[in-house]
Amino acid sequence: MNVVDTRAGSLESDETVVMSGNKIKSVNLSKSAPLPSGTRVIDCRGDYLIPGLWDMHVHSEGDPQVLGLLLAAGITGARDIVSSR
């Protein structure tokens, strides 16, 4: 998997990301990545991993489906602008 490092401003290729629950435990080169026994492996070769995105101007109008649509687009944080009518 390709990992976008926004702090360093780089793209790291052929990386393995080890998760435990919903937390990243390690990111290593795939050829040297230690995998705990019983690890479930998901092949993401050719894919990209980026930090969650923010949308700072959303009008959800109280529609709960909007949150699902944002998440499907990689948006993990949003600022909902409430319309005054």
Side-chain angles (χ1 to χ4, degrees):
M1 150 182 331
N2 300 295
V3 176
V4 177
D5 184 339
T6 56
R7 287 187 179 155
S10 63
L11 176 64
E12 305 300 328
S13 299
D14 196 24
E15 298 283 305
T16 292
V17 178
V18 176
M19 309 268 312
S20 178
N22 62 355
K23 303 273 186 195
I24 294 174
K25 292 297 180 184
S26 66
V27 179
N28 295 298
L29 283 172
S30 292
K31 62 183 172 191
S32 62
L35 297 178
S37 63
T39 298
R40 181 176 143 214
V41 176
I42 300 172
D43 186 355
C44 296
R45 281 180 279 194
D47 291 340
Y48 290 81
L49 178 68
I50 64 171
L53 303 173
W54 281 78
D55 188 332
M56 298 306 292
H57 193 111
V58 173
H59 294 272
S60 73
E61 304 296 330
D63 184 349
Q65 288 183 325
V66 170
L67 297 177
L69 293 170
L70 292 170
L71 189 57
I75 297 169
T76 59
R79 184 173 143 223
D80 197 356
I81 308 300
V82 179
S83 300
S84 59
R85 294 182 187 191

